[in-house]
Amino acid sequence: MTTITSRSLAYRCTPSGLQGRQHSHRAVRSRAHTQKRSLTTCQIVESESPSLVDRVLKIFATPANSLNEGIATFYDESSGLWEDMWGEHMHHGYYEVGQPVKNHQEAQVDMIDNSLKWAGVDEVTSMLDVGCGIGGSSRHIARKFNCAATGITLSPKQAERANMITKEAKLENVQFQVADALNQPFPDNSFDFVWSMESGEHMPDKEKFIAELARVCKPGGRILIVTWCHRVLEEGETQLKPDEQALLKNICSAYYLPAWCSIADYARIATANNLSDIKTGDWSAEVQPFWGAVIQTALTPQGFTGLLKAGAGTLRGALVMPLMKTGLVKGTIKFNMMTAVKPST
């Protein structure tokens, strides 16, 4: 089994001022220079006494020489099936709490629009889509604001398919390429809006990730990250509980994820990068219907046949979908967002 070693964030986080659905981080910025950070190493490995889930996942393990290679291969294999079943948007849907469950493709578009509204984005000239999938968000935002859009992904097949769809849509100001989000091929201050929809969880170095987003963002521009996190640690906790760690380990091994962090970690890193107007949110309740719907789709004849054709890696990912649903229900997994502005001076 491949061992993936990643840099992770480990520090004691008090809940005061950091928990809840939306927070201001001016107080965090004021004391950021006094807060110590420690980096630990997390390995995605088998436990000494593997569970049934461990043993089943091992059967469908796909060898990879690096985290980036694993991510690229996973999406090369699975993106076609996802598009066939769900369309061009490769992310959660947004469902109003207490309302009847809407059409899932509509919910995915609503996730984009509600995220933009939440972040106060009402004008864009040039955007960067970090972890673009097959380009659904880029095309939607380009149409919405009549702006230029550039998307990057580790998956060559995603980039190729994204450019194909975009050409068919006659969107000349939208383009996609293969690039590493931690080493982006763009000059400083290139984009006035930097967007990351459910790609942050793949980043092994969250500090470098935020630093790169800030670097390519123009002064006065806005960054918006929507990502999977683990819950914020409670007062006195130094790590997640063993059962929570076990759940995340199995998800990591299937989806090629490095160690998880909390939204409080993201806010602290944004502060350390001198970003301003930092705001975080929690839409865990708003995405609750999503994984149940994905599981139901996978159990249809078309979905099951597609999984078998897509390969072992995709099937392995399907096997842990119930764990994502469980993690959200238990509160171990959080669906969070953060937005911030790069100061003009």
Side-chain angles (χ1 to χ4, degrees), residues 236-248:
E237 286 187 313
T238 59
Q239 61 184 3
L240 295 173
K241 298 172 183 176
D243 64 316
E244 294 177 312
Q245 294 183 42
L247 181 141
L248 295 185

Side-chain angles (χ1 to χ4, degrees), residues 160-282:
E160 180 183 13
R161 180 58 181 152
N163 281 316
M164 183 182 300
I165 298 172
T166 301
K167 182 178 180 180
E168 292 171 354
K170 296 182 169 43
L171 290 171
E172 297 180 357
N173 59 344
V174 180
Q175 60 182 344
F176 303 93
Q177 65 189 80
V178 175
D180 186 348
L182 302 186
N183 187 26
Q184 298 179 24
F186 310 114
D188 296 355
N189 309 321
S190 293
F191 307 95
D192 64 345
F193 181 47
V194 180
W195 162 275
S196 170
M197 172 61 73
E198 298 187 40
S199 64
E201 55 270 17
H202 282 297
M203 307 300 166
D205 188 335
K206 300 296 192 290
E207 291 165 323
K208 190 172 183 182
F209 174 51
I210 299 297
E212 273 293 270
L213 300 188
R215 181 184 68 80
V216 300
C217 187
K218 291 181 178 179
R222 180 170 292 278
I223 297 168
L224 174 55
I225 300 169
V226 183
T227 188
W228 310 353
C229 292
H230 68 60
R231 63 175 177 82
V232 175
L233 298 180
E234 298 289 347
E235 181 76 34
E237 286 187 313
T238 59
Q239 61 184 3
L240 295 173
K241 298 172 183 176
D243 64 316
E244 294 177 312
Q245 294 183 42
L247 181 141
L248 295 185
K249 181 191 78 71
N250 283 319
I251 294 172
C252 285
S253 65
Y255 291 143
Y256 293 96
L257 304 179
W260 295 52
C261 70
S262 73
I263 195 62
D265 295 319
Y266 275 108
R268 175 182 59 76
I269 299 169
T271 297
N273 279 274
N274 299 315
L275 298 177
S276 64
D277 299 327
I278 301 168
K279 183 174 72 168
T280 65
D282 181 351

